[in-house]
Amino acid sequence: MAMSMRRTLVGLYRGARYSLKNVESSVEARHPLPLVLPVRTKKRYFIPPAVGMKGKKHEDPEAQARAAGIVIQQQFMERPINIACTAGVFDPYIPPEGDARLSTLSKEGLKQRTEQIRQSAASQLAIRKIKEHDSLFSTKTFAEQAQEIFIEAHRALTQFNKEKLHSLVTERCYPEMTRGNRHKTIRWSFVESLEPPRVVHARCPDMVTKGNLYGQVTVRVHSKQTLAIYDRFGRLMLGSEEQPKDVLEYLIIERHLMNPYGRWRLHGKIVPSWAPAKDPVIRTILIPGPQLKPWEEYDTLNHEVPKPAAVQWYK
Amino acid sequence: MAAAGTGSGFVFVRNVCGLFRDSRLAVLARPQQLSWFHSSSSLSTKNWEKKNLKVFPPQLPEEARRPAEVHHCRRQIKYSKDKMWYLAKMIRGMSIDEAVAQLEFNDKKGAKIMKEVLLEAQEMAVKTHNVEYKSNLHVAESFSSKGKYLKRIRYHGRGMFGIMDKVYCHYFVKLVEGPPPRPEQKTGLDQAREYVQKLKDRTVIHSL
């Protein structure tokens, strides 16, 4: 679309001269001339970028404003952050080897069964501190409460009810529970509890300042659950809906004691090092082999797949 | 008089039914659609990325396994959409390994970019979308479209100028799990059979 700039400019000048002449003649008012309307040029919908911008140096608008005498109030970009949970598990409980494997009739089994929380002095101290701040706390009823929180939280996860999940689960636990699950269908059900839940451990860590107390209580839960995870397309990825499994878990429930509106929420889980291996995912996974140079050959017989060390980890 | 009244009433009802046969008023009879303009409020056009967020309900064990799909795109590629179309048309229907191999040895500028997009999509499929084997994918859809152009002046002689478009394009690809679908081969005998059948299916009107 080629246009003539000169033609329109010439037209403009001519128009301007005509209107000027007009003003002078109308003052004398000898021959009344018809009303002259200012003529517009054709409206340009595309205005090309101005020539001569390339060599322009970048000016400092701040320095210009200061020179002009404009004072701008210093704006501090601050935002208060409320931390409602601890970053991890303080002094995690180490579950005894063979828990829930030994029969209750054997000597070791009886010893474990009669193990009382009074053995651990630190836990007793922590429970006393918790009772100071939360008068309704009681070791006997808390275990049942903890199991209920656990069941409700997992039900909310299957429905993916964000608000309910945030009220039942701490901010540290939420991403661990929900990462990768947004576009998957999870079907989980709590069949029954095999043993009554027990409080096994308690600690009262403080964050940042000395008085900012949080209470962390570990509860041992032995139950039967069914879990089936379907991927985005409705295909089964893990587990099965009909086959229930016996699950021994150590749940960590936390509450911000200093906050009067704080609630007991699920903070994490402890997986002991001697726990049985989980069921494999229903797919083949490629484990990358060793990086070979062009002259090297891959020795199939001697190559071993590195297995991760059996360490207790809390999640 | 009563008979006349009912008769006119019947004719009136008939006329109303006739009105309802008209498509616009028939639409009004449907309670769910009361306006003739689309009322979706979103201005965003990034719909291809949203296709990856659709979740299907879990399948029953007797249903056929649904093949996994991955949608991927790259926006504002500095290339012409018409030139990109040739490459997009070339890889339609190929398996992913074949497509990547063809693009790797193609001399066009768009081929390098397309190859990156395909490899990204393959990685996404394996990591996020539960695709088991990375080679078990084929290109189901592949097309290019116009991006947002920048406008500059192109100077001509005699003070004339033109508006030059700096072209950009988008490239979209959909990978589906499974081997590429084979186009059915029609033999000469099949075509002849079809032709004869078409002749036999003709309806002859006003015949004895």
Side-chain angles (χ1 to χ4, degrees):
Chain A
M1 191 181 81
M3 271 191 272
S4 173
M5 286 200 287
R6 249 187 95 242
R7 222 180 281 153
T8 49
L9 288 169
V10 160
L12 248 179
Y13 290 149
R14 271 205 212 124
R17 261 181 269 140
Y18 188 67
S19 58
L20 276 168
K21 269 196 222 155
N22 236 15
V23 164
E24 287 156 32
S25 60
S26 64
V27 169
E28 291 155 12
R30 235 169 266 154
H31 302 283
L33 289 154
L35 178 68
V36 177
L37 291 169
V39 174
R40 238 223 94 117
T41 51
K42 180 179 175 188
K43 182 165 166 72
R44 304 300 163 110
Y45 289 98
F46 167 67
I47 298 152
V51 185
M53 295 285 283
K54 281 187 202 167
K56 208 174 182 180
K57 282 169 216 160
H58 293 282
E59 290 154 5
D60 191 12
E62 261 186 57
Q64 281 188 328
R66 254 183 281 135
I70 305 163
V71 179
I72 306 170
Q73 279 277 331
Q74 280 276 20
Q75 290 169 333
F76 292 103
M77 303 291 203
E78 277 172 2
R79 224 177 128 194
I81 302 172
N82 292 325
I83 302 173
C85 72
T86 41
V89 182
F90 180 78
D91 205 7
Y93 172 63
I94 300 167
E97 182 89 33
D99 198 6
R101 307 298 198 84
L102 305 168
S103 138
T104 47
L105 299 171
S106 69
K107 215 169 38 173
E108 289 84 17
L110 267 171
K111 261 204 296 198
Q112 277 188 9
R113 286 276 290 169
T114 53
E115 187 186 282
Q116 289 295 317
I117 207 170
R118 283 171 215 289
Q119 285 173 8
S120 169
S123 289
Q124 280 301 304
L125 198 68
I127 288 177
R128 217 177 299 148
K129 254 198 223 169
I130 293 169
K131 281 190 178 156
E132 258 173 46
H133 296 280
D134 181 14
S135 49
L136 297 167
F137 182 82
S138 143
T139 328
K140 297 187 182 84
T141 56
F142 184 71
E144 291 292 330
Q145 209 185 336
Q147 194 171 54
E148 256 148 64
I149 293 172
F150 171 76
I151 295 170
E152 279 305 311
H154 282 72
R155 284 211 187 117
L157 180 64
T158 46
Q159 257 81 57
F160 211 87
N161 189 349
K162 266 200 261 186
E163 292 89 16
K164 202 168 162 206
L165 207 51
H166 270 295
S167 71
L168 291 163
V169 146
T170 59
E171 286 80 33
R172 180 215 174 240
C173 187
Y174 180 83
E176 284 169 4
M177 270 181 105
T178 54
R179 181 155 298 140
N181 293 341
R182 189 73 182 85
H183 303 291
K184 295 193 174 83
T185 324
I186 300 177
R187 289 220 175 128
W188 178 88
S189 75
F190 190 87
V191 180
E192 59 168 357
S193 173
L194 296 166
E195 285 172 18
R198 258 191 308 135
V199 174
V200 291
H201 195 71
R203 285 287 183 271
C204 255
D206 40 20
M207 282 263 285
V208 189
T209 48
K210 195 155 179 291
N212 193 18
L213 277 177
Y214 291 82
Q216 285 179 351
V217 180
T218 312
V219 176
R220 175 188 180 279
V221 173
H222 192 39
S223 56
K224 242 188 198 163
Q225 295 166 20
T226 55
L227 177 67
I229 304 181
Y230 297 90
D231 66 358
R232 229 189 92 213
F233 306 99
R235 312 179 301 192
L236 188 63
M237 266 177 96
L238 182 71
S240 89
E241 276 191 73
E242 291 89 28
Q243 181 64 28
K245 288 213 184 283
D246 295 342
V247 169
L248 175 65
E249 279 169 333
Y250 297 90
L251 310 168
I252 298 156
I253 316 276
E254 192 193 65
R255 181 186 155 154
H256 188 186
L257 297 166
M258 284 296 141
N259 180 7
Y261 305 107
R263 269 189 279 199
W264 287 103
R265 296 185 293 177
L266 185 64
H267 188 59
K269 251 202 257 190
I270 291 181
V271 178
S273 47
W274 42 262
K278 288 198 270 193
D279 268 352
V281 189
I282 306 171
R283 65 175 269 183
T284 46
I285 297 183
L286 176 76
I287 300 169
Q291 294 292 326
L292 297 169
K293 295 274 155 60
W295 56 87
E296 283 171 17
E297 267 186 35
Y298 176 57
D299 198 356
T300 329
L301 295 166
N302 287 348
H303 179 66
E304 285 153 10
V305 176
K307 281 209 170 74
V311 178
Q312 164 172 315
W313 52 291
Y314 32 89
K315 219 194 174 228
Chain B
M1 193 146 95
T6 47
S8 65
F10 175 63
V11 166
F12 170 70
V13 165
R14 266 246 302 264
N15 282 342
V16 165
C17 289
L19 277 174
F20 265 80
R21 242 178 270 135
D22 182 18
S23 56
R24 295 191 64 161
L25 284 175
V27 163
L28 196 60
R30 270 186 274 135
Q32 56 266 35
Q33 191 189 344
L34 289 175
S35 58
W36 283 281
F37 51 88
H38 82 270
S39 45
S40 61
S41 51
S42 64
L43 189 57
S44 157
T45 45
K46 304 274 182 258
N47 295 319
W48 195 256
E49 289 90 335
K50 286 189 200 161
K51 288 182 192 244
N52 273 340
L53 304 176
K54 184 172 176 199
V55 182
F56 291 88
Q59 282 185 303
L60 303 161
E62 58 262 9
E63 275 179 42
R65 194 174 157 91
R66 192 180 278 126
E69 299 178 341
V70 178
H71 295 84
H72 193 44
C73 64
R74 194 178 280 202
R75 307 272 180 182
Q76 296 296 115
I77 304 167
K78 184 73 193 69
Y79 201 49
S80 158
K81 67 175 183 356
D82 301 311
K83 294 177 193 166
M84 199 62 143
W85 181 87
Y86 287 108
L87 294 164
K89 177 82 175 129
M90 177 177 82
I91 66 165
R92 265 175 218 176
M94 284 188 185
S95 74
I96 188 143
D97 291 336
E98 206 186 325
V100 164
Q102 290 295 327
L103 291 171
E104 195 176 322
F105 296 103
N106 192 308
D107 295 328
K108 289 180 183 257
K109 172 175 151 185
K112 192 169 160 195
I113 299 161
M114 245 199 212
K115 187 182 139 193
E116 281 169 30
V117 173
L118 282 178
L119 291 173
E120 269 173 24
Q122 189 185 42
E123 210 195 312
M124 259 167 61
V126 172
K127 277 202 179 153
T128 338
H129 296 87
N130 194 28
V131 164
E132 217 171 326
Y133 304 108
K134 68 177 192 181
S135 298
N136 195 24
L137 292 162
H138 69 271
V139 176
E141 285 173 26
S142 141
F143 55 92
S144 67
S145 73
K146 171 185 172 292
K148 280 230 165 84
Y149 292 169
L150 292 176
K151 300 205 209 284
R152 298 283 179 266
I153 321 176
R154 195 199 182 279
Y155 300 95
H156 290 274
R158 290 170 150 251
M160 306 284 214
F161 69 93
I163 308 175
M164 183 160 58
D165 284 329
K166 294 286 182 190
V167 292
Y168 285 87
C169 66
H170 304 314
Y171 174 63
F172 303 90
V173 73
K174 172 171 149 183
L175 299 175
V176 172
E177 206 177 5
R182 283 236 306 269
E184 57 163 276
Q185 305 286 341
K186 253 195 192 166
T187 57
L189 190 66
D190 280 334
Q191 285 179 320
R193 203 180 291 131
E194 266 183 35
Y195 175 66
V196 170
Q197 192 58 41
K198 265 169 78 173
L199 292 174
K200 286 182 181 173
D201 288 339
R202 289 178 297 180
T203 325
V204 181
I205 56 168
H206 300 323
S207 64
L208 293 164

